[in-house]
Amino acid sequence: MNRMDDLPENLLLKIFEYLAVKELCIAGRVCRQWRRIVRDNTLWRHVDLLNYRLDLKKMWKLIRSHLSECLLSIKIKGFLDTGKPKFGVYSLSDAMLKDLKERCPNLKEIHLKNCNTMNLDPSLLPSGLVKLTLENCAIEPGLMKHFTRDLPELSYLDVSRTVRFDDRELSYVCGTDQLKVLIMNGCYRVTAEGLSKAAQQMASLERMEIGDAAIENKNQNFELAAHHMTRHMVSLKHLNLQGCKPLTSDILKVLLSGLKKLETLNVACCLMKYDSFVNMEPYLKKIKLLEICSSEMGHQQVEDLESILLECSVKMVRCVKSCSSAVVSS
């Protein structure tokens, strides 16, 4: 046996599972046998298109040729980061969402990156959706107003760097016990006041990320938000506050003492020194992972801190923007 044609079809199917979408489509043009194998629904359970940019015409062709009830997740990359001429180019439409909803009733995850979604009716999203990512997307204000009604099973929401995600959008999504993961990294329109109000309605949230969100402590709103988090977010296990400049030793102590289930904490680029962490040793011992900025602490200090914290691992996070020159005493 020295030709691909001699391999049994079940083995060819296994080989094709390692191919990306583009390679699968190319393989389907080789011969009739390969075309039949490529159309096997098991190869189209998880469709990752993040390496490509498909306009509506190409997306329709892919959907009608390959997607079926076997589809569980789909990832799509749009044109927002390619410049103004492509801003109005859409990768999804209402008709396409409706077709996906009917054609793929088992779809559980949609990941959109750099997509313009302002043309979409959110009520057409599959009601069985469990995981939704809108990464660096353009959204219409009020997009999430009825998420708790239209997406009753949604437990994971990532809106990282989606600039129109603000306090109002946050208030729409926090009123459900189903939501377990909320990622808002880079959402600079979310304020400490909005976070404070949302925390009072997120008792079931297990993971929250709000890194690099430019939160300020105006009128001590961030301190109030920390108190509401400790009082109401009783299920929180993972917290990312990277780049949160208002975070002080006192506020961090409040969070660590009040969040009883907390396991991982990211406070990189929060302008806190080695001595501040040493003084919080009784509070930090209970967590399993502490992430800090590589610009704020040397390797020897990290090793010393790990020896003090015993069961807590310390991980150094590399900053995009150096903050070493801005480190101040907490």
Side-chain angles (χ1 to χ4, degrees):
M1 184 183 296
N2 51 23
R3 293 200 321 161
M4 286 285 287
D5 292 345
D6 297 328
L7 293 175
E9 290 194 359
N10 64 326
L11 188 54
L12 284 172
L13 184 62
K14 287 293 182 182
I15 294 173
F16 287 173
E17 287 178 359
Y18 292 93
L19 299 181
V21 171
K22 184 177 181 179
E23 285 70 37
L24 267 180
C25 293
I26 293 173
R29 301 175 191 152
V30 172
C31 62
R32 291 181 180 179
Q33 181 194 26
W34 283 26
R35 183 180 183 184
R36 185 177 66 254
I37 296 172
V38 164
R39 288 186 171 181
D40 191 292
N41 288 338
T42 60
L43 294 176
W44 300 92
R45 289 174 177 168
H46 302 282
V47 177
D48 187 348
L49 302 172
L50 293 182
N51 290 326
Y52 322 101
R53 300 181 196 273
L54 304 183
D55 56 22
L56 288 176
K57 183 178 180 180
K58 293 177 181 177
M59 276 299 302
W60 270 120
K61 185 175 181 179
L62 176 74
I63 290 172
R64 289 168 173 165
S65 299
H66 299 291
L67 303 190
S68 68
E69 68 276 0
C70 288
L71 182 69
L72 300 177
S73 68
I74 186 167
K75 299 179 180 181
I76 300 170
K77 187 174 183 179
F79 299 86
L80 278 189
D81 60 338
T82 60
K84 291 184 179 180
K86 288 291 187 179
F87 184 85
V89 178
Y90 300 110
S91 298
L92 287 171
S93 65
D94 284 349
M96 193 175 294
L97 279 181
K98 187 176 180 181
D99 188 69
L100 272 175
K101 196 172 185 178
E102 297 172 354
R103 183 187 299 267
C104 312
N106 298 309
L107 182 59
K108 299 298 182 184
E109 177 185 354
I110 292 179
H111 183 145
L112 304 181
K113 181 177 181 180
N114 302 332
C115 288
N116 186 351
T117 67
M118 297 179 70
N119 63 319
L120 299 180
D121 179 357
S123 66
L124 295 175
L125 287 168
S127 58
L129 214 59
V130 173
K131 185 174 181 179
L132 176 62
T133 298
L134 300 172
E135 182 184 354
N136 193 33
C137 290
I139 64 172
E140 188 73 24
L143 174 78
M144 303 176 188
K145 188 173 184 178
H146 300 297
F147 264 23
T148 55
R149 180 197 68 190
D150 298 332
L151 304 175
E153 297 181 30
L154 189 69
S155 62
Y156 181 110
L157 178 62
D158 183 349
V159 290
S160 294
R161 295 180 297 284
T162 293
V163 294
R164 289 194 176 180
F165 186 87
D166 55 14
D167 291 346
R168 178 172 292 185
E169 299 295 329
L170 176 58
S171 69
Y172 293 148
V173 302
C174 66
T176 172
D177 292 335
Q178 193 65 32
L179 194 64
K180 305 297 182 185
V181 177
L182 178 59
I183 302 176
M184 304 176 284
N185 295 327
C187 293
Y188 61 85
R189 295 192 183 188
V190 174
T191 68
E193 184 179 2
L195 185 60
S196 180
K197 293 178 181 179
Q200 301 175 53
Q201 303 178 63
M202 295 193 289
S204 300
L205 201 69
E206 297 179 1
R207 174 184 168 193
M208 183 171 74
E209 297 189 20
I210 190 162
D212 302 316
I215 285 181
E216 299 179 353
N217 194 23
K218 291 181 179 179
N219 301 319
Q220 297 184 322
N221 281 335
F222 184 65
E223 293 180 37
L224 182 61
H227 282 286
H228 281 307
M229 288 169 65
T230 57
R231 183 176 180 182
H232 300 283
M233 299 176 69
V234 294
S235 302
L236 199 64
K237 297 179 181 179
H238 312 281
L239 178 60
N240 180 355
L241 294 173
Q242 180 171 334
C244 185
K245 299 300 187 284
L247 185 67
T248 64
S249 296
D250 290 337
I251 296 177
L252 187 53
K253 284 179 183 178
V254 169
L255 291 169
L256 289 169
S257 59
L259 298 172
K260 305 297 184 183
K261 295 185 178 181
L262 195 64
E263 297 178 2
T264 66
L265 175 65
N266 185 339
V267 289
C269 310
C270 290
L271 309 183
M272 300 186 70
K273 286 187 174 181
Y274 169 77
D275 292 341
S276 301
F277 294 112
V278 173
N279 293 333
M280 284 186 285
E281 175 259 344
Y283 304 95
L284 289 168
K285 268 187 173 180
K286 69 171 187 176
I287 68 173
K288 298 178 181 179
L289 176 64
L290 174 67
E291 296 181 272
I292 57 176
C293 178
S294 58
S295 299
E296 295 172 339
M297 203 175 299
H299 288 283
Q300 185 58 52
Q301 288 179 315
V302 170
E303 292 180 6
D304 293 342
L305 191 58
E306 283 190 322
S307 65
I308 295 172
L309 299 180
L310 300 177
E311 296 183 4
C312 176
S313 298
V314 180
K315 179 182 178 181
M316 298 181 74
V317 178
R318 186 177 180 182
C319 290
V320 177
K321 298 179 181 179
S322 178
C323 58
S324 57
S325 60
V327 176
V328 295
S329 179
S330 302

